[in-house]
Amino acid sequence: MNTFLTPLAAMLLLLTISCSPPTPSGSTNAHTITDMAKRSMSVPETITKVYVNRPGSILLYAIDPELIVNRSFNFTPEAARFLSEDYLVLPHTEGSAEEILKLAPDFILTFFDINAGSIDEADKLAEKTGIPVYLASLTLEDYPEVFRRLGRLLDREEQTNRMQDFIDKHVNPVLEQAQSIDEQDKMSVYYAEGDRGLHTDPAGSLHSRLITMTGGINAADIDAVSRKGLSEVSMEQLLMWDPDIVLVWAGLGKITPTMEHIQNDPIWSRLRAARNGRIYQIPYLPYGWFDRPASINRLLGIPWLADLLYPDVYDIDIEAVVAEYFRVFYHYDLSGEEAQTLLNP
């Protein structure tokens, strides 16, 4: 029997191979898992290369930066000093199927609100790439489950246990104690966004949740505009609300011009928060601690804001908490001087 291929058959075989998705670089042994959207998929027994989307990049960096094949953010020199050199030279991608295929990951990790839309997107990406796409929840309360699941899946349980320990020590006690603050003792807080501070996110917004979680009252009595936030307000409304405290947003690895405007605008000086010296720039390195991105750094933002609002209630050694967070989540040992610089931008 002739086992040689004809020229036409050989050409067809070559085309089939060249058009097929890349084989994952991990172990060829596969097993079936279920993601947080209850989608089943087959993944390599050992996962060594992970593509992660922008909302999940900080969390996966905390688990193990050496697993990541892509970078979702650009960084200023101020922010870059806290991140590993190997991570900073990874290719920056916007998440197209073509870009992902070039990186040949074993596995695609995406963080979104889990709903019909995000499930459909994950299914389409898996179909386009031929690579398993794991959908994880962005919801703050789901982080313990995210840690447990990814720790097992990526064989990084020792690290994800350390991450959970931080929540148990520094986040959960704040959330519990916040429930005991009397309504009449709660501080009203305005979250100043936009270049002039006249955009904000009211109570119920993803972007301002830390205010109520730590026992404050969101001063903005308006409707949220969308998941992206930034509801517009007038100076007259702000003067009427007259908050006890103003938190000023920050950009990614750099300070926005908002604080400078607020400090130099005589109308802002009429606010109670200004008269009492209680307008604060939110720490922003290497990512914002409060919002933008509304990601894992909120776990540091919770004790930070609790200490800012009610230092006598919570009795937090915030410098020690910041140092522990950076050690666990950024794999970086902060000096005392660095911690103070971060806390006082």
Side-chain angles (χ1 to χ4, degrees), residues 276-287:
N276 294 335
R278 304 219 65 184
I279 297 179
Y280 302 99
Q281 173 69 62
I282 295 170
Y284 62 92
L285 290 173
Y287 303 91

Side-chain angles (χ1 to χ4, degrees), residues 219-332:
D221 185 16
I222 53 172
D223 294 328
V225 293
S226 70
R227 179 175 174 79
K228 291 186 177 180
L230 297 175
S231 300
E232 189 170 359
V233 304
S234 68
M235 199 68 215
E236 289 75 19
Q237 285 175 303
L238 184 53
L239 289 169
M240 181 180 65
W241 296 330
D242 199 19
D244 297 307
I245 288 175
V246 173
L247 302 177
V248 181
W249 77 332
L252 183 62
K254 61 181 180 181
I255 296 181
T256 64
T258 312
M259 177 63 93
E260 183 179 0
H261 172 81
I262 289 172
Q263 291 173 331
N264 292 291
D265 187 333
I267 301 179
W268 276 86
S269 67
R270 293 161 56 186
L271 288 175
R272 178 189 317 166
R275 297 195 306 270
N276 294 335
R278 304 219 65 184
I279 297 179
Y280 302 99
Q281 173 69 62
I282 295 170
Y284 62 92
L285 290 173
Y287 303 91
W289 296 11
F290 180 87
D291 179 33
R292 310 205 184 276
S295 186
I296 197 169
N297 263 18
R298 292 175 293 175
L299 297 177
L300 176 57
I302 287 171
W304 167 77
L305 185 56
D307 180 62
L308 191 72
L309 297 182
Y310 310 107
D312 295 335
V313 171
Y314 291 111
D315 191 26
I316 295 170
D317 182 349
I318 192 60
E319 184 176 317
V321 173
V322 171
E324 183 175 344
Y325 184 89
F326 271 69
R327 185 167 58 251
V328 172
F329 289 83
Y330 288 120
H331 317 285
Y332 185 93

Side-chain angles (χ1 to χ4, degrees), residues 56-69:
S57 60
I58 310 173
L59 193 152
L60 187 56
Y61 186 95
I63 293 175
D64 187 349
E66 294 185 4
L67 290 170
I68 306 173
V69 299

